[in-house]
Amino acid sequence: MRKPAIGLISIGAIALALTACSPSAGESGNAEERVMTIAMNAQPPNLDPHVSTATATASISRNILETLLTTDGDRNVVPMLAESYETNADGTVYTFTLRSGVTFHDGSALDAEDVVASMERWDRLSGPGQSTFADAEWAATDDLTVTLTLPAPSFTVPIALSSGREQFAGIYPSEVVEAAGDDAIEDVIGTGPFMLDEWVPDQKLVLNKFDDYSPTEGPIDGLSGDRTAQTAGLKYVFVADASTRILGLQTGEYDAVPEIPYDNAADVLDDPALRAGSTPGTLLNLYYNKAEGLFSNVKARQAVDTLLDRESIMKAAVVDDEFFALTPHMMMADQEGQWKSSVGADSYNPNDPEKAKKLLEEAGYQGETIKMIVTRDYSEAYNAAVVIQEELQSIGATVSLDTYDWPTFSEIRNDPSAYDLTVIPNTPKNDPGSLVFMRNDFAGFTESPELDALLQTFRNSATLEEAQSHYDELQQWFIDYIPVSKIGDAYGVHATTLEVEQLPVDDSIIWWAARFTE
């Protein structure tokens, strides 16, 4: 495995820095009294993660809303708004004891009724809630005790409740939930380290530090620990053009830019006045059309998988070798605290053109055109596809590369008669059973009775530990069946001025721990 990307700095080091350093006055006053200005490429549709699947919604609203559980720097599930939790013997009843003294931004105290109202709404409206908590019942036992009763045990409960990704299970006051119903909540009130101050559509969104924030004990560790804000506020400004965002960073108008296109990364890396970093971004996968054509034959898939030079492809895809990782199993490197397998690691990435050529002949390939499709709207996918085309041509294959805009590509990739290969950047999932390439209604059209049996066993696991014990079996299927060839983990690039310390990250930037230098 490659070294972690440069933004993945030690959470322990962050904790040490936060503990050892005290703020001092600069030209703009005490570092903790400054507002951090963040230039984003687009605004979220709303700040309600129960109804919005937008990454921008999760990225901003997790500063405002908190969850019952969260994860530490090693991806262990730990309490957040819950002080503790336990399950009964068969894993069908969870009991959560809430922390006392936690208040919402409106001054009201968090209690069990708030949790029940929020979780019932999240179960009903969000994708993760619907898939994990169907027919589940939430109940307030007393002011600070909540029970969750499931029709059957499920290992995904603690994972779903601790996630900070899209559609996370944020807790609102019960009055806010009741007033909004199923509409997106506009009166976004939570218990988090920042509170919503102002949102001017298409221009800016301002969060102020919540002075009465009730932190958990312990130093920051991943998403856990003391979340007390290290700045006076966060000011998001929305700037669509990447060059304008970078120019604003260079002139000091902005303090941070969370999304730098790979094609613009050199502008940041070459500027000594800026600091670059990265966050785990996407799984870059080469999809085979398994429904019809050459790659319905697993030997043809083995040929291409044997051929790929993943390091060269990823360098072309994300511009700099600091922005990717090669991980031999199907999940991302930063998820190995929960999902790690060494199955197949010894034969990973062989990059053997001669063997690949022989396998392709054995698959019956006779020089017909292999049709690859891709979109230019995701430069990492397009750049990877160009290199893959060249590698296939180097062993005598004929390969066409057709490019489309994203909406057109999204339609064509669902047509099994339209292509043989495609490259797609996939969003990471909380567990391997949710990866989209396992679906028969998604690009590539996976159809595997063996997978169906494995997933049934995997999903019936009562505990996370039991599910983890089945990950090797899924990984072996991944190697044998080759639904996709995983090319690598692509990291998102961000940048700040030198007045901002290296941004702490987990699966995205941890803004409450971001701070200015002294």
Side-chain angles (χ1 to χ4, degrees), residues 91-139:
T92 57
V93 178
Y94 284 72
T95 302
F96 300 90
T97 301
L98 305 182
R99 286 193 284 129
S100 62
V102 176
T103 58
F104 287 103
H105 302 150
D106 63 358
S108 63
L110 169 74
D111 63 23
E113 294 293 344
D114 300 313
V115 174
V116 172
S118 297
M119 296 314 303
E120 288 180 342
R121 181 175 185 270
W122 182 76
D123 289 359
R124 187 174 68 253
L125 300 181
S126 76
Q130 293 169 355
S131 62
T132 302
F133 297 90
D135 300 320
E137 294 184 2
W138 294 86

Side-chain angles (χ1 to χ4, degrees), residues 35 68 72 82 102 166 177 198 218 275 322 350 360 401 508:
V35 172
L68 282 174
D72 65 18
V102 176
E166 293 81 357
V177 172
E198 180 184 22
R275 193 193 311 277
E322 295 290 353
L360 204 57
L401 182 60
S508 64

Side-chain angles (χ1 to χ4, degrees), residues 44-59:
N46 56 64
L47 293 179
D48 184 358
H50 290 193
V51 301
S52 172
T53 60
T55 300
T57 295
S59 173

